[in-house]
């Protein structure tokens, strides 16, 4: 097993996750099986209870674990699906250690960070690497070198480095190279953060310098000299127009060759699908604009996977997707409004804030024949909108939003009532969905059985299905033997499609999610017709 560890210095938000995922991609292109592990030094067990305002999107894995959005980058870049085991947090490690202590496994010893916590970290990493049958294990350590929370993990990595052969281990350190007022590239922050790393007994093999522009040869030389790495091991990672270009930047910088040399490996393949995808992406000349109507529109990355899936749909449909952020609460306050866009997307969400604004956006899309895609909460609100305004069930709602609604068209199934604790009872992860032939859903997926990821608690109330369908909204897919509705569509609309599941989590740049492809294609058609 070869281990590549990615650490970060100077500050957070440098794109360490993208760097790690891009390195993973380089090895995939060279014909290697890569497995990622993300270490999040926070004390939470997982990201399920974390607020998107603070933390960005919660990404859902196939086994239902709710994780940091970096795992999404890994799945999209590397193309492998991972499980909750691939996300290690301080909470998970300490829980294990404390369980062992209570069971008496430590035989009366004093339980300490070194060796007990560090052993647990090393065991976890090695077990996941072994069980995945991969050849390259990519480990990203969240946070910045020097953070108190990260110390036990860096210490565990230091020990691992000593225990593994040198040719099986590479450390990549990502730092910031800022420009001063005169536009000069400054290396001091990098020098300081490498010094910090070395005080912990770790020596970087590669330094990736994040900078708004390409690193100059003189900058690389200086970093190499002061940080004790070879000049060819200083890699420029300048701002890219799109994150998917980063693997190509690394190729230009010959990072793949350097790491191969360090790890004593030979390339077995030179796969081109990533490069081809980026080329296609860069030559799109048509554009569509899509409104995302949500609650967290001001938060960078709160709807990251949706943004990425729209991009994937665009690459397939042949157009660039421009996103217009619409705050759903604003739509509650205005009188009549227009949205000058080619498609409207209502994403997942929880709670009543802004919900009526989202319902207004859905009504607007339905009545004006504008392409619409609803996801999870967006699906539920589309059903509510239809029930109220087409079926005539005044006051129809979800019991999540109004417990006393006269028409609970969205409700908990009986077995879920009463056990509604935060983080506890959600329906999460991969679930098989059955699609009815002859529907839009079937024409998009081309299959009767698909597996999609879920993250919700409420369902379409079975008592209302017949009434709703009699007025034209078709439930074209279901799960759980027909007890739960999974897709709703309007056959007479230009494109009106909503899913109870989250198709965005399985969308890949070169394998886009069918609902997103259908939606962006419809938006492009709409745009072209508008222009005539
Ligand atoms: N709040 C809704 C539910 O719990 C939708 C969840 C979501 O959009 N992820 O069912």
């Amino acid at each position: 097993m070869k281990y590549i560890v990615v650490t970060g210095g100077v500050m957070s938000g440098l794109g360490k996750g993208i760097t790690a995922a891009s390195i993973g991609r380089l090895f995939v292109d060279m014909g290697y099986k890569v497995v990622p592990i993300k270490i999040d030094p926070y004390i939470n067990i997982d990201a399920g209870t974390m607020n998107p305002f603070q933390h960005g999107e919660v990404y859902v894995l196939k086994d239902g674990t709710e994780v940091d959005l970096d795992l999404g980058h890994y799945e999209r870049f590397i193309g492998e699906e991972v499980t909750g085991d691939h996300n290690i947090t301080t909470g998970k490690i300490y829980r294990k250690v404390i369980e062992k202590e209570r069971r008496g496994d430590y035989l009366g010893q004093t339980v300490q960070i070194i060796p007990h916590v560090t052993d647990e970290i090393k065991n976890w990493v090695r077990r996941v690497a072994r069980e995945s049958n991969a050849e390259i294990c990519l480990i990203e350590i969240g946070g910045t070198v020097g953070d108190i929370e990260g110390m036990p993990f860096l210490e565990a990595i230091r020990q691992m480095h000593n225990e593994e052969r040198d040719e099986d281990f590479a450390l990549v350190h990502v730092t910031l190279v800022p420009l001063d007022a005169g536009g000069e590239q400054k290396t001091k922050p990098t020098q300081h953060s490498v010094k910090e790393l070395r005080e912990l007994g770790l020596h970087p093999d590669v330094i990736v310098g994040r900078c708004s522009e390409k690193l100059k040869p003189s900058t690389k030389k200086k970093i190499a000299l002061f940080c004790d790495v070879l000049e060819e091991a200083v890699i420029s990672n300048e701002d890219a127009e799109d994150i998917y270009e980063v693997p190509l930047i690394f190729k230009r910088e010959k990072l793949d060759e350097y790491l191969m040399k360090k790890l004593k490996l030979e390339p077995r393949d030179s796969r081109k699908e990533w490069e081809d995808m980026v080329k296609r992406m860069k030559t799109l000349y048509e554009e569509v604009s899509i409104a995302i109507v949500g609650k967290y529109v001001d938060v960078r990355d709160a709807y990251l996977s949706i943004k990425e899936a729209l991009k994937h749909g665009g690459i397939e449909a042949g157009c660039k997707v421009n996103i217009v952020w619409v705050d759903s609460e604003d739509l509650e306050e205005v009188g009549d409004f227009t949205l000058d866009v080619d498609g409207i997307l209502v994403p997942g969400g929880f709670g009543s804030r802004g919900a009526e604004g989202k319902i207004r956006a859905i009504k607007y899309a339905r009545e004006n024949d504008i392409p619409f895609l609803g996801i999870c909460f967006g699906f539920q609100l589309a059903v509510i909108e239809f029930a109220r305004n087409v079926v005539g069930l005044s006051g129809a709602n979800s019991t999540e939003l109004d417990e006393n609604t006269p028409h609970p068209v969205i409700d908990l199934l009986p077995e879920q009532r009463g056990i509604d604790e935060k983080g506890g009872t959600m329906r999460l992860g991969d679930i098989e969905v059955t699609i009815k032939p002859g529907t839009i859903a079937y024409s998009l997926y081309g299959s009767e059985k698909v597996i999609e990821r879920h993250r919700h608690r409420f369902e379409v109330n079975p008592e209302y299905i017949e009434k709703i369908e009699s007025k034209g909204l078709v439930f074209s897919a279901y799960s759980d033997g027909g007890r739960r509705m999974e897709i709703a569509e309007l056959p007479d609309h230009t494109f009106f499609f909503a899913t109870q599941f989250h198709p965005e989590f399985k969308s890949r740049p070169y394998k886009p999610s069918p609902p997103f492809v259908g939606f962006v294609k419809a938006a492009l058609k709409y745009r072209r017709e508008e222009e005539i």
Side-chain angles (χ1 to χ4, degrees):
M1 183 69 57
K2 306 279 183 189
Y3 294 97
I4 302 175
V5 178
V6 180
T7 55
V10 185
M11 62 177 211
S12 63
L14 283 182
K16 193 156 30 85
I18 306 286
T19 299
S22 298
I23 291 174
R25 184 70 223 178
L26 296 179
F27 282 90
V28 171
D29 285 347
M30 292 186 289
Y32 284 86
K33 187 167 158 69
V34 179
V35 56
I37 296 177
K38 169 86 199 282
I39 293 178
D40 285 312
Y42 45 66
I43 295 173
N44 306 57
I45 297 284
D46 62 38
T49 52
M50 288 175 131
N51 178 353
F53 272 127
Q54 225 186 61
H55 204 72
E57 158 186 289
V58 173
Y59 188 79
V60 181
L61 300 174
K62 64 177 178 186
D63 67 350
T65 315
E66 299 165 286
V67 291
D68 184 90
L69 50 80
D70 274 329
L71 271 289
H73 288 311
Y74 287 124
E75 290 201 334
R76 286 185 284 268
F77 276 69
I78 297 172
E80 298 275 344
E81 289 189 301
V82 299
T83 63
D85 247 2
H86 294 246
N87 186 207
I88 306 179
T89 66
T90 297
K92 283 185 186 176
I93 294 289
Y94 274 75
R95 182 163 71 179
K96 261 202 137 162
V97 170
I98 290 168
E99 275 167 13
K100 277 190 178 171
E101 188 274 334
R102 292 288 86 187
R103 271 201 314 263
D105 290 4
Y106 295 115
L107 305 172
Q109 287 177 67
T110 308
V111 181
Q112 294 181 298
I113 293 183
I114 306 171
H116 303 103
V117 168
T118 47
D119 276 354
E120 204 55 59
I121 296 168
K122 289 188 291 179
N123 290 342
W124 193 309
V125 167
R126 288 191 170 116
R127 177 178 56 80
V128 172
R130 197 176 53 241
E131 286 172 0
S132 62
N133 285 322
E135 299 159 285
I136 314 271
C137 177
L138 196 61
I139 305 162
E140 178 197 344
I141 306 196
T144 308
V145 170
D147 294 349
I148 286 183
E149 283 105 329
M151 292 295 180
F153 293 102
L154 289 169
E155 168 58 17
I157 293 298
R158 187 197 63 77
Q159 294 172 17
M160 258 183 92
H161 186 192
N162 276 343
E163 292 156 11
E164 300 288 333
R165 291 182 304 176
D166 193 50
E167 66 192 64
D168 290 340
F169 196 92
L171 178 63
V172 177
H173 189 59
V174 184
T175 75
L176 177 71
V177 179
L179 302 184
D180 70 6
E184 198 189 325
Q185 297 178 355
K186 305 306 282 181
T187 66
K188 199 60 118 209
T190 301
Q191 294 178 40
H192 277 296
S193 94
V194 170
K195 192 169 153 238
E196 215 160 0
L197 201 55
R198 296 177 68 165
E199 277 168 6
L200 300 170
L202 287 162
H203 186 105
D205 296 295
V206 171
I207 294 174
V208 173
R210 284 282 297 113
C211 185
S212 55
E213 58 181 34
K214 222 169 132 178
L215 294 190
K216 294 185 182 126
S218 56
T219 308
K220 286 189 176 183
K221 212 180 199 132
K222 199 162 172 193
I223 291 176
L225 180 67
F226 281 93
C227 301
D228 195 24
V229 295
L230 296 176
E231 228 173 287
E232 61 192 80
V234 182
I235 304 295
S236 172
N237 183 6
E238 67 271 16
D239 289 351
E241 226 171 274
D242 192 282
I243 53 171
Y244 294 163
E245 292 171 37
V246 177
L248 307 188
I249 292 179
F250 286 168
K251 255 186 207 163
R252 182 203 71 204
E253 293 284 304
K254 299 194 170 37
L255 175 58
D256 48 349
E257 289 175 26
Y258 189 80
L259 284 171
M260 290 305 255
K261 204 163 70 190
K262 168 76 187 46
L263 298 170
K264 295 212 165 78
L265 294 172
E266 291 291 332
R268 297 178 188 143
D269 200 352
S270 88
R271 284 171 61 175
K272 287 273 178 291
E273 66 252 56
W274 192 271
E275 206 175 319
D276 292 345
M277 178 273 297
V278 174
K279 272 188 200 145
R280 233 174 16 251
M281 185 176 76
K282 297 204 73 144
T283 52
L284 301 171
Y285 63 92
E286 278 187 282
E287 298 190 10
V288 295
S289 59
I290 303 286
I292 296 185
V293 183
K295 182 159 82 168
Y296 300 113
V297 290
D298 298 329
V299 186
R300 222 183 95 208
D301 294 347
Y303 301 111
L304 181 72
S305 291
I306 288 182
K307 244 166 66 185
E308 295 299 301
L310 283 171
K311 190 159 80 188
H312 307 160
I315 296 171
E316 177 76 17
C319 60
K320 190 168 174 282
V321 177
N322 298 319
I323 292 172
V324 179
W325 299 102
V326 178
D327 187 332
S328 50
E329 280 185 285
D330 292 347
L331 291 186
E332 289 179 354
E333 282 150 24
V334 293
D336 283 345
F337 64 89
T338 50
L339 290 171
D340 186 20
V341 289
D342 309 311
I344 294 174
L345 189 153
V346 177
F350 293 83
S352 54
R353 237 182 77 197
E356 289 300 325
K358 292 178 189 174
I359 291 176
R360 286 190 81 185
I362 296 167
K363 180 165 188 269
Y364 178 82
R366 185 177 56 75
E367 288 179 341
N368 294 288
D369 213 27
I370 299 170
F372 166 73
L373 180 63
I375 295 174
C376 204
F377 202 37
F379 161 91
Q380 297 172 357
L381 296 174
V383 173
I384 292 168
E385 191 280 318
F386 193 83
R388 285 184 193 171
N389 301 322
V390 183
V391 188
L393 301 173
S394 138
N397 216 330
S398 163
T399 48
E400 177 185 3
L401 308 175
D402 175 9
E403 276 182 43
N404 303 315
T405 168
H407 296 293
V409 292
I410 305 292
D411 199 3
L412 293 171
L413 287 185
E415 71 266 28
Q416 277 164 305
R417 290 200 189 110
I419 46 170
D420 187 16
E421 284 165 27
K422 277 199 180 67
T425 59
M426 225 124 35
R427 191 170 179 246
L428 285 164
D430 270 4
I431 292 166
E432 188 183 70
V433 171
T434 307
I435 298 178
K436 296 182 187 162
T439 58
I440 302 167
Y442 189 85
S443 72
L444 291 175
Y445 278 97
S447 167
E448 272 181 60
K449 300 274 180 201
V450 297
I451 290 175
E452 290 282 11
R453 296 190 193 164
H454 293 67
R455 183 175 190 245
H456 69 115
R457 198 174 285 128
F458 291 81
E459 305 284 347
V460 174
N461 185 339
E463 285 169 27
Y464 285 92
I465 291 176
E466 222 182 286
K467 221 176 212 160
I468 291 171
E469 285 205 313
S470 74
K471 294 288 183 198
L473 187 70
V474 174
F475 290 110
S476 53
Y478 57 85
S479 64
D480 203 7
R483 290 176 74 229
R484 302 171 198 255
M485 297 303 109
E486 292 279 359
I487 300 181
E489 56 185 56
L490 276 179
D492 293 335
H493 194 275
T494 175
F495 187 86
F496 191 97
F497 195 83
T499 63
Q500 178 61 81
F501 52 83
H502 288 268
E504 70 273 24
F505 293 140
K506 283 187 74 172
S507 191
R508 304 288 174 261
Y510 44 89
K511 211 167 146 265
S513 162
F516 281 88
V517 175
F519 177 52
V520 178
K521 279 187 175 165
L524 184 58
K525 187 163 161 264
Y526 180 88
R527 170 69 157 243
R528 285 173 179 162
E529 280 165 7
E530 287 288 290
E531 274 169 4
I532 295 169

